[in-house]
Amino acid sequence: MSQPSKNAATAQRVVVLADNETATGYRLAGAHVVEATPADAQAKLEELIVGGGYGLVAVDTGLIADPATSTARIMRGRDLPIILPIPSLSDAFSTEQVDAKAYMGKLVRETIGFDIKL
């Protein structure tokens, strides 16, 4: 049996920090999920950073609006995990956002720089 080379990339674990309602969708997609409420989300995020061994932590912005800023102190000197804010479903379906399709189009436009129409 051959041993992996010292230069072989190691797989990094991915986790999603989400509320109870949203967590189900991510689990159905096969993601590892940690559930949180807005009250305990910051503490759980810090636990994932310090002790989780994750390469990527996706954070629902409904729990923590700006997870990168809220973890700047604890991330100082660390390369991993990458903190990825993901839009909250409540943002797409809020009373202020009437058109979910327009909201999704706006997210795509902000992310890649242009519209995609099907």
Side-chain angles (χ1 to χ4, degrees):
M1 180 184 275
S2 66
Q3 296 290 326
S5 72
K6 291 182 181 180
N7 294 330
T10 57
Q12 293 292 326
R13 297 180 343 168
V14 175
V15 64
V16 177
L17 183 64
D19 61 44
N20 183 300
E21 184 177 347
T22 309
T24 302
Y26 286 109
R27 282 192 185 101
L28 288 171
H32 174 68
V33 179
V34 172
E35 291 184 24
T37 64
D40 68 356
Q42 185 66 38
K44 287 190 178 188
L45 177 56
E46 290 179 8
E47 288 174 21
L48 293 171
I49 291 169
V50 173
Y54 294 99
L56 176 73
V57 179
V59 182
D60 186 318
T61 57
L63 295 174
I64 302 173
D66 188 357
T69 300
S70 74
T71 58
R73 179 190 51 78
I74 199 165
M75 285 296 295
R76 191 168 294 127
R78 296 176 187 266
D79 292 329
L80 294 175
I82 294 169
I83 306 298
L84 176 67
I86 50 176
S88 172
L89 285 178
S90 62
D91 291 343
F93 299 105
S94 71
T95 56
E96 297 156 10
Q97 181 63 41
V98 194
D99 186 359
K101 186 176 179 182
Y103 175 78
M104 297 308 287
K106 177 180 171 257
L107 288 178
V108 169
R109 193 170 38 260
E110 289 173 354
T111 303
I112 63 174
F114 56 89
D115 289 321
I116 296 177
K117 297 194 183 208
L118 299 176

